[in-house]
Amino acid sequence: MSHPNLPMTEVLVVADCWQREPDSEAVIQRAVAAAAESVDEDVADAEVAVMLTDDAGIRTLNSNWRGIDKPTNVLSFPALQPEGEWKPGDAPRMLGDIAIAYETMRREADEEHKPFDHHLSHLAVHGFLHLIGYDHENDDDAEEMEALETQILAHLGIPDPYADRAGTH
């Protein structure tokens, strides 16, 4: 059963460490679909690319694009949107790219006693929301984004990822 507002999500595995988690692509597909179904943004006929990398790969991206020379769990790169309205027959609209680092994500899941697939779902949802314009640059925006993430994850049967970190962003 297809939902009319779902983007096409391509998952690219570029680091061998992800082979330890063979269900990762399905987890990401499900998380992005749940996020797309939960927002008012029109993401039908759009594309998202999710790169599953390692700490070395994401460290390079983080250094090159953000000037921060260390690994992180997830990075989002929203695509510039073309002028004018999208019409049927046009090339798919790129929402952007998400990169997720295995080692950092695995360590966080273990330290926070969260199932791997729950944390992966959270990072995929978080990255997707960044692609459509959400951010956490100030407290109000962070609260809005976290509330939406919590709602989307609850729809997936995943507990509030912020429950143990009240008051932090």
Side-chain angles (χ1 to χ4, degrees), residues 15-158:
D16 290 339
C17 48
W18 283 95
Q19 300 309 318
R20 296 177 209 145
E21 302 295 339
D23 296 332
S24 294
E25 181 174 350
V27 169
I28 290 167
Q29 294 281 354
R30 187 171 173 242
V32 171
E37 290 173 340
S38 298
V39 297
D40 290 331
E41 183 81 15
D42 180 15
V43 293
D45 299 311
E47 291 184 4
V48 174
V50 181
M51 180 177 67
L52 300 180
T53 188
D54 55 18
D55 277 3
I58 211 159
R59 179 180 183 168
T60 299
L61 290 170
N62 208 17
S63 179
N64 290 347
W65 292 98
R66 299 177 65 222
I68 300 172
D69 189 20
K70 66 178 189 176
T72 188
N73 54 12
V74 62
L75 290 172
S76 296
F77 301 96
L80 293 174
Q81 296 303 311
E83 298 289 325
E85 188 175 317
W86 183 90
K87 298 177 283 311
D90 286 352
R93 180 171 54 104
M94 250 331 266
L95 291 180
D97 302 320
I98 300 168
I100 301 174
Y102 181 84
E103 297 97 332
T104 296
M105 204 212 81
R106 165 53 77 191
R107 184 177 61 256
E108 291 171 347
D110 291 347
E111 288 172 357
E112 297 172 18
H113 308 289
K114 295 177 180 176
F116 183 87
D117 62 326
H118 288 192
H119 195 44
L120 179 57
S121 294
H122 180 205
L123 294 182
V125 167
H126 185 88
F128 176 81
L129 292 178
H130 275 305
L131 295 184
I132 62 170
Y134 287 86
D135 68 48
H136 42 84
E137 295 300 315
N138 62 55
D139 287 345
D140 289 342
D141 289 345
E143 286 178 26
E144 178 184 10
M145 188 170 178
E146 289 175 8
L148 186 53
E149 288 171 8
T150 300
Q151 171 195 333
I152 294 165
L153 293 171
H155 177 72
L156 293 170
I158 298 172

